[in-house]
Amino acid sequence: MDEELRSLTDRLGGEAGDTEEFHRLLTTEDDEELAAVLVERERPLWAREVAAFRLGCGGDPRAFEALVLLLNHRDPERCVSAAHALRLLGDPRTPRAAAALATNSLRTAYALHPVRLLTALRAPESVPALVSTLRRLLAPDEAHWRVALACVEGLGSLGDGRARPVLEAALPHPRLGDAAAHALSRLPADRGDPRT
């Protein structure tokens, strides 16, 4: 059992009540049984999460929609598991979905893991989404500064020069300034500046 599946098993064991169904969903090799859990009515959330996680890690695109919903869940641990499965799934829709979640101003409280997933994916959608999200989170008293910090760190990791203006705007921010300076140091030289 890999580390992510072990973490999911430990976390959901209590929620599932350590039932026979829980253990069956963790061990079955029948993808059709897992896929059925995603569409059957009145299935508990833990069962849908186990099924989506296992299908996603196995590359089955039927897990995509359930994993995207879990990526934006209020429970951060569910988001972590969903992001892991989405990376392994490799569905071409994932970057666009993660960007939509990260840039949704009504869901900023739950945007941390979509932001981190966008960084990991290094997709064409990643930099524009992180720039857009960070730009609206630069107020000094911004409640969601951890999301802003993840954007700063992600933009530094991606090393794309398009991030320079928003990272420079983040420099005066008391909680973002050091990370923004580090991120800027990882960008390619600005050829428009004669000093570089």
Side-chain angles (χ1 to χ4, degrees), residues 90-107:
D91 192 294
R93 297 171 291 176
T94 299
R96 187 168 62 252
L101 294 175
T103 58
N104 184 343
S105 61
L106 299 178
R107 301 290 293 175

Side-chain angles (χ1 to χ4, degrees), residues 7-184:
S7 175
L8 179 135
T9 302
D10 293 345
R11 175 168 55 83
L12 295 182
E15 186 177 332
D18 203 32
T19 60
E20 180 181 343
E21 181 187 12
F22 178 60
H23 291 287
R24 187 176 69 252
L25 291 177
L26 285 172
T27 58
T28 183
E29 298 300 322
D30 184 352
D31 287 354
E32 297 306 316
E33 179 181 2
L34 293 171
V37 171
L38 299 180
V39 296
E40 290 172 357
R41 290 187 173 189
E42 299 182 4
R43 284 287 195 152
L45 181 58
W46 64 260
R48 295 183 190 278
E49 183 176 358
V50 171
F53 181 88
R54 293 204 57 218
L55 287 169
C57 290
D60 191 318
R62 290 176 290 184
F64 175 76
E65 291 182 3
L67 289 172
V68 169
L69 289 173
L70 290 165
L71 180 64
N72 200 226
H73 197 273
R74 65 180 177 273
D75 180 351
E77 292 181 321
R78 284 197 154 101
C79 301
V80 170
S81 293
H84 175 78
L86 281 165
R87 284 196 303 272
L88 293 179
L89 177 59
D91 192 294
R93 297 171 291 176
T94 299
R96 187 168 62 252
L101 294 175
T103 58
N104 184 343
S105 61
L106 299 178
R107 301 290 293 175
T108 303
Y110 310 110
L112 180 62
H113 295 285
V115 164
R116 289 178 174 166
L117 179 58
L118 282 166
T119 302
L121 293 173
R122 306 184 77 86
E125 294 87 348
S126 297
V127 170
L130 297 189
V131 166
S132 174
T133 301
L134 177 58
R135 186 176 290 120
R136 63 182 169 78
L137 297 178
L138 288 179
D141 58 349
E142 171 58 54
H144 303 301
W145 64 269
R146 287 180 179 84
V147 176
L149 180 60
C151 290
V152 169
E153 292 171 344
L155 290 168
S157 175
L158 293 169
D160 190 308
R162 291 175 293 172
R164 186 177 301 278
V166 74
L167 289 173
E168 289 175 344
L171 287 171
H173 194 291
R175 287 176 162 150
L176 305 178
D178 289 347
H182 179 67
L184 282 164

